Amino acid sequence: MANLKEIRNRIASVSSTMQITSAMKMVSAAKLKKAQDAITAMRPYANKLTELLQNLSSSLEAGNKFSDQREVKKVLVVAITSNRGLCGAFNTNIIKQSTLLVEDTYAGKQVDIVAIGKKANDILGKNFNVVANHSEVYDDLTFDNVATIAEGLMDQFTDGSYDKIDIVYNKFKNAATQIIMTEQFLPIVPTEGGEVSSKDYIFEPSKPEIVEQLIPKSLKTQLYKGIRDSFASEHGARMTAMHKATDNATELRDQLKLTYNKARQAAITNEILEIVGGAEALNN
């Protein structure tokens, strides 16, 4: 059994760790509320815009540069992770999914990676070709900053650098649940089931011109939604992970205190026995 000093040191260490994890949990809970409100408010707009665009683009007689279906030889995977850890399997799941795409789904093709988040850049960069890292976007997560990244991705598709671009991210469901998503960013996937009836919309100036203006905006919104989803999921995952870590630390501290009390009681008992034994020896 460890001596009393060692147990006291362990109790102090666990208590200190428990205070840190508890503080991180509260910080993540505060940030989660704001991030959750942002993605909840944005999601209906982004989904409706994407649906509208897919319906309209599928009804065009001639395709546009963003819906050009080419033979897939070069693929770009956009992996969205966080800049920091201590959030459970949040980043690990994205790393695994991105690795699966590179080594299995697109095996035999040229696959490059764009990292959004330091964790994706640091881990995926060891085994795969990471052509860009946009970790700084989290310093000021605004639509304009994400739009710049989206424009770069659109340019790389239209100039033929890549035939397909996928986005991998965690979709926020609740604080304890994140859904791993793999979405096709480019080319645009038309809606199955035919075109939209012209009586549903009034086009001014014309359908092709409207679609050409909507496509870039829709793609920027899609990427922004993915990063916003990931941002909210990160805080939810970290809050959950820190909650579990705090509970585990509390349980360990209680066990150590019990062990300490048992050891102290044993030491006191031994001292009493020694005193009694010494007194008996003097009496004899």
Side-chain angles (χ1 to χ4, degrees):
M1 181 179 292
N3 60 45
L4 294 178
K5 183 178 180 180
E6 291 177 348
I7 297 176
R8 282 199 303 269
N9 290 339
R10 289 190 63 190
I11 291 174
S13 176
V14 171
S15 297
S16 177
T17 301
M18 187 176 65
Q19 290 177 349
I20 294 173
T21 56
S22 179
M24 293 182 66
K25 171 190 170 183
M26 289 187 290
V27 170
S28 292
K31 291 183 177 180
L32 173 62
K33 181 62 171 64
K34 184 178 180 180
Q36 181 178 352
D37 290 343
I39 187 59
T40 302
M42 177 187 179
R43 192 176 286 163
Y45 167 78
N47 292 341
K48 191 62 180 179
L49 180 61
T50 301
E51 176 188 347
L52 174 64
L53 183 64
Q54 289 176 340
N55 288 336
L56 292 178
S57 61
S58 66
S59 66
L60 291 176
E61 296 180 359
N64 57 74
K65 60 183 179 180
F66 295 114
S67 60
D68 184 17
Q69 302 288 337
R70 303 190 289 259
E71 180 183 357
V72 178
K73 297 180 179 179
K74 295 175 290 184
V75 180
L76 183 64
V77 176
V78 181
I80 304 176
T81 61
S82 65
N83 285 341
R84 288 181 287 272
L86 297 178
C87 47
F90 173 82
N91 291 313
T92 303
N93 290 334
I94 298 300
I95 301 301
K96 288 182 179 179
Q97 181 64 20
S98 300
T99 301
L100 180 66
L101 288 176
V102 176
E103 298 181 344
D104 188 3
T105 306
Y106 299 122
K109 306 181 188 300
Q110 176 189 328
V111 183
D112 295 331
I113 294 175
V114 168
I116 298 179
K118 291 180 181 178
K119 292 301 179 179
N121 180 63
D122 295 344
I123 300 175
L124 292 173
K126 296 178 181 179
N127 301 314
F128 308 113
N129 184 31
V130 177
V131 295
N133 176 28
H134 298 290
S135 303
E136 73 287 347
V137 72
Y138 290 114
D139 297 334
D140 185 18
L141 186 51
T142 63
F143 180 82
D144 291 338
N145 290 336
V146 175
T148 302
I149 302 174
E151 288 171 358
L153 297 177
M154 288 185 277
D155 291 340
Q156 289 178 305
F157 177 79
T158 55
D159 65 16
S161 298
Y162 298 101
D163 303 311
K164 186 178 181 182
I165 300 178
D166 285 345
I167 304 175
V168 183
Y169 66 96
N170 281 292
K171 181 180 179 180
F172 179 80
K173 183 175 181 181
N174 54 52
T177 306
Q178 299 83 39
I179 304 172
I180 305 173
M181 300 292 294
T182 301
E183 291 183 355
Q184 182 171 314
F185 185 67
L186 286 168
I188 296 173
V189 181
T191 301
E192 297 180 359
E195 63 180 57
V196 179
S197 174
S198 59
K199 66 181 181 180
D200 293 337
Y201 304 101
I202 298 176
F203 300 101
E204 180 64 35
S206 66
K207 184 190 297 184
E209 291 182 58
I210 291 175
V211 171
E212 287 297 323
Q213 293 179 10
L214 278 179
I215 286 178
K217 183 176 182 179
S218 175
L219 292 173
K220 293 173 185 177
T221 302
Q222 181 183 355
L223 181 61
Y224 184 57
K225 180 180 73 71
I227 297 178
R228 270 290 177 189
D229 255 317
S230 181
F231 188 64
S233 297
E234 174 193 349
H235 291 303
R238 182 171 291 110
M239 186 186 74
T240 302
M242 291 302 99
H243 175 73
K244 292 181 180 178
T246 302
D247 289 347
N248 292 337
T250 302
E251 182 180 352
L252 179 57
R253 184 193 61 180
D254 293 342
Q255 291 176 352
L256 288 172
K257 283 184 176 181
L258 182 61
T259 302
Y260 175 79
N261 291 334
K262 288 182 178 179
R264 191 164 70 91
Q265 186 63 46
I268 293 173
T269 302
N270 288 334
E271 290 178 0
I272 293 175
L273 290 175
E274 288 176 0
I275 293 172
V276 173
E280 290 292 334
L282 290 175
N283 291 332
N284 295 333

